[in-house]
Amino acid sequence: MQQKREHFGSRFAVIAAMVGSAVGLGNIWRFPYILGEYGGAAFILVYIAASLILALPIFYAESIIGRRSRSDTFGAMRKLAPGTPWRWAGLVTIVSPMLVLSYYSVVGGWSVEYLFKSLSFSFTDVPAEEIPGFFGHFISSPWQPILTHTAFMAAVVFIVLGGVSKGIEKFSKPAMPALFILIVAIAVYSLTLPGAWAGVTYLVKPDFSRLTADACAAALGQAFFSMSLGVGAILTYSSYVKREENLMVSGVGTAVCDLLFALIAAFAVIPSVFAAGLQPSGGPSLVFETLPYIFHRMGEGLPLVSTLVSAVFFITILAAALSSAISMLEVGVAFLSDERGFKRRNATLLLGFLCWAVGVLCSLSFGPLSGFHILGNSIFDFLDHLCSDWLMPLGGLIFTLFVGWKMSRADVRDEFTNGGTVNVKLFNAVYFLMRFVAPVGILVVFVTNLVM
Ligand code: PFF
C-alpha cells in the first residue's frame, strides 16, 4: 500500500527543511531562558559538547533509518526489523512530537499576539518600563492566548495539508536567511545598550560552581529539543531525501546552523535582559518581556522604527516556529497515512485538532488552571519537561540502539556512505559515537534525572 514517496527537490531544499525544523522557538525562546536558569557560560559549553557528541550522532541515526526505509517512524522499524517488537518503540516517537506540538503552538500563539501588539503600536504607546509587564497580563487571560494558539495551529495544519514540496519546502526556504540577518542585527544593537556588557560577561565567563548534574541533563534535553531529535521528525524528513544526497553534509549543516542561531539568540536576548534590569532566570517569559522593551528603546522617539523592527522580528520568529511545528505534525501525518491508510487531509485535520485540544489545557495552565499541578509542575511545564528531559532522549536512545545494535554494520555503512562513495573515512568515528557514546550518554542523563 506504499505509494510513491515525495522527495525534496534539491540539496538546498533538504538542508533548508531540516534547518527549518531545527531552528525555531527552541533557539530563540527556549535556549536563552534555559541557559539563564542554569547559569550562563558554563551551561553553553556543556550544551555545545552535548550537541556535537551526543545529538549529532543521533541525527545521523535518524537520517540513516529514515532514508533507508523511506517510511514513517513506525513503518521504518517494521521494514528494517520485520517481525520484531522494534516497531512499538517506533510508536513512542510518534506520540512525543504530538505532545511537543501541543505546547509549542501555545508559544507560537504568543508570537502571534506580539506581532499584533507591535502592529497596533501597543508597545510604543507606553513607557518602555511598562512593556515587560504586558506578558503576565496576556498569558493569564483565559481566552486571548487560546485564540492565538488556535490561529497558529490553523496555520500549521494549512501548510501540512499542502504536502512536502508544495507546503513544507516552499515555506522553509526564504524564512531562515531572513531570520538569521535579523537576529544578528538585534544582537549587535543589544550590545550597544548601557548595562549590556554584564550580560556579555554572563555569557562568556563560565562559573562552573553552578554546573550541577541537573544543568548537564537540561543541556542535553535542550540539544535534543533544538535539533528536533528523538521524535522522528528528522527520520521522517530523511525519508524524503534522495539516495544521492550526502547525509553527513545535511547533519553538519543543520547542527552548525542550529548552534549558531541559538548562540546569536543568546547574545541578542541576555545582554538585553541585563540592560532592561531584568533577571536572566526569568523563565519562559524572558524573550517576550525583553525584546519588545529593546525594540522600544531602539526607536526612542521614532515609534515607526520600533514598530517596524518589532513586527519584522515577530514575523520571522513566527516563520521559524511554523517551519518547526510542521515537522512535528508531519511525523504523525506520515504515520497515519502510510500505516493506517488515512487520507493525508484527514490525518492532518485529526491530529491538528487533538494537539490543539491539549494545547488549550497548556495555555490555561498560565491562567485559570494555574493551581493545577502534575508532579509539582503546571501542565505546560510538565509537558515541556516530560518531552525534553524524557521522551526526546528516550526516542534518541531507541534510534541509536537500533542503528548501532540492530541494523547490520554493512547496511549502516552503505546508507551513510551512499554505497561506499562518500564519507567513508569518517564512518568509523560516527559509528562508534552512535553505537557506544550516544547511548551511554543518554543513559547517564536518565539516571541523573531519576536521582535528582
Ligand atoms: N527544534 C525545534 C525548535 O528548536 O524550535 C523544536 C522541535 C521541532 C521539536 C520538531 C521537535 C520536533 F519534532
Side-chain angles (χ1 to χ4, degrees):
M1 70 163 166
Q2 191 81 21
Q3 317 103 333
K4 193 169 179 317
R5 281 182 93 68
E6 287 189 75
H7 283 301
F8 287 121
S10 64
R11 170 170 300 174
F12 180 69
V14 171
I15 297 191
M18 301 236 181
V19 172
S21 169
V23 174
L25 296 168
N27 305 62
I28 295 157
W29 158 73
R30 199 172 189 277
F31 182 66
Y33 91 77
I34 296 276
L35 92 89
E37 274 174 8
Y38 288 102
F43 180 88
I44 296 185
L45 294 178
V46 180
Y47 173 71
I48 294 176
S51 300
L52 298 179
I53 301 169
L54 300 176
L56 188 55
I58 289 164
F59 188 100
Y60 287 133
E62 286 202 33
S63 302
I64 288 167
I65 301 174
R67 196 175 63 169
R68 186 111 193 132
S69 64
R70 302 220 166 286
S71 290
D72 64 284
T73 312
F74 180 82
M77 301 287 191
R78 191 171 43 77
K79 264 193 194 166
L80 299 179
T84 68
W86 276 100
R87 62 183 186 285
W88 302 115
L91 210 52
V92 173
T93 62
I94 290 170
V95 176
S96 32
M98 299 301 103
L99 291 178
V100 178
L101 178 57
S102 308
Y103 67 88
Y104 200 86
S105 168
V106 173
V107 184
W110 298 347
S111 315
V112 174
E113 170 73 15
Y114 270 55
L115 173 61
F116 281 117
K117 275 202 164 43
S118 314
L119 291 174
S120 58
F121 293 90
S122 306
F123 294 134
T124 48
D125 283 352
V126 294
E129 291 63 34
E130 282 181 21
I131 292 175
F134 275 31
F135 187 73
H137 188 68
F138 162 63
I139 55 166
S140 55
S141 122
W143 59 269
Q144 234 176 319
I146 293 183
L147 215 66
T148 53
H149 155 59
T150 307
F152 185 86
M153 190 66 91
V156 175
V157 165
F158 181 76
I159 298 170
V160 173
L161 281 176
V164 176
S165 48
K166 278 199 240 87
I168 299 174
E169 192 177 318
K170 210 159 154 200
F171 191 78
S172 323
K173 276 194 202 164
M176 292 300 118
L179 184 65
F180 189 76
I181 295 169
L182 201 68
I183 196 94
V184 170
I186 296 169
V188 171
Y189 176 78
S190 80
L191 297 182
T192 66
L193 292 168
W197 278 98
V200 176
T201 311
Y202 183 81
L203 289 173
V204 297
K205 209 161 149 222
D207 171 4
F208 288 104
S209 65
R210 297 196 55 189
L211 201 59
T212 54
D214 208 18
C216 296
L220 181 74
Q222 173 61 24
F224 270 79
F225 189 89
S226 196
M227 277 172 70
S228 314
L229 296 175
V231 287
I234 297 301
L235 190 158
T236 306
Y237 271 12
S238 301
S239 75
Y240 305 123
V241 171
K242 285 186 189 148
R243 188 100 181 98
E244 49 291 355
E245 293 300 339
N246 186 332
L247 293 184
M248 182 87 192
V249 173
S250 48
V252 171
T254 308
V256 168
C257 287
D258 189 54
L259 267 175
L260 263 182
F261 260 101
L263 293 175
I264 297 172
F267 275 89
V269 176
I270 299 290
S272 313
V273 168
F274 279 82
L278 298 167
Q279 288 299 323
S281 56
S285 55
L286 203 63
V287 165
F288 293 93
E289 287 177 344
T290 43
L291 288 186
Y293 168 90
I294 296 305
F295 299 144
H296 187 291
R297 301 276 310 264
M298 269 180 171
E300 211 82 75
L302 297 167
L304 257 177
V305 174
S306 306
T307 301
L308 197 71
V309 176
S310 181
V312 174
F313 176 78
F314 284 108
I315 287 172
T316 46
I317 198 175
L318 261 173
L322 279 170
S323 60
S324 298
I326 54 187
S327 73
M328 302 176 206
L329 188 54
E330 182 62 25
V331 176
V333 170
F335 166 68
L336 286 185
S337 46
D338 285 359
E339 302 297 321
R340 295 274 154 250
F342 273 64
K343 288 214 174 83
R344 199 180 158 83
R345 181 168 176 276
N346 296 346
T348 309
L349 292 174
L350 174 70
L351 292 174
F353 174 75
L354 291 176
C355 294
W356 172 83
V358 178
V360 167
L361 295 178
C362 294
S363 181
L364 290 174
S365 74
F366 290 98
L369 291 182
S370 60
F372 181 80
H373 286 119
I374 309 174
L375 299 175
N377 287 297
S378 69
I379 303 175
F380 183 98
D381 284 343
F382 172 76
L383 271 189
D384 187 30
H385 283 299
L386 176 71
C387 292
S388 66
D389 297 349
W390 292 99
L391 294 179
M392 298 178 93
L394 175 67
L397 184 64
I398 292 170
F399 294 136
T400 50
L401 289 179
F402 189 81
V403 171
W405 298 91
K406 177 68 195 160
M407 284 176 75
S408 76
R409 185 189 160 94
D411 282 353
V412 176
R413 185 178 187 277
D414 181 65
E415 196 59 46
F416 187 74
T417 62
N418 292 1
T421 55
V422 291
N423 310 321
V424 182
K425 286 206 186 99
L426 282 166
F427 173 72
N428 285 340
V430 171
Y431 193 61
F432 177 78
L433 289 174
M434 287 192 296
R435 196 164 148 90
F436 298 106
V437 179
V440 171
I442 295 173
L443 284 174
V444 170
V445 167
F446 277 156
V447 175
T448 311
N449 279 344
L450 271 180
V451 292
M452 293 303 291

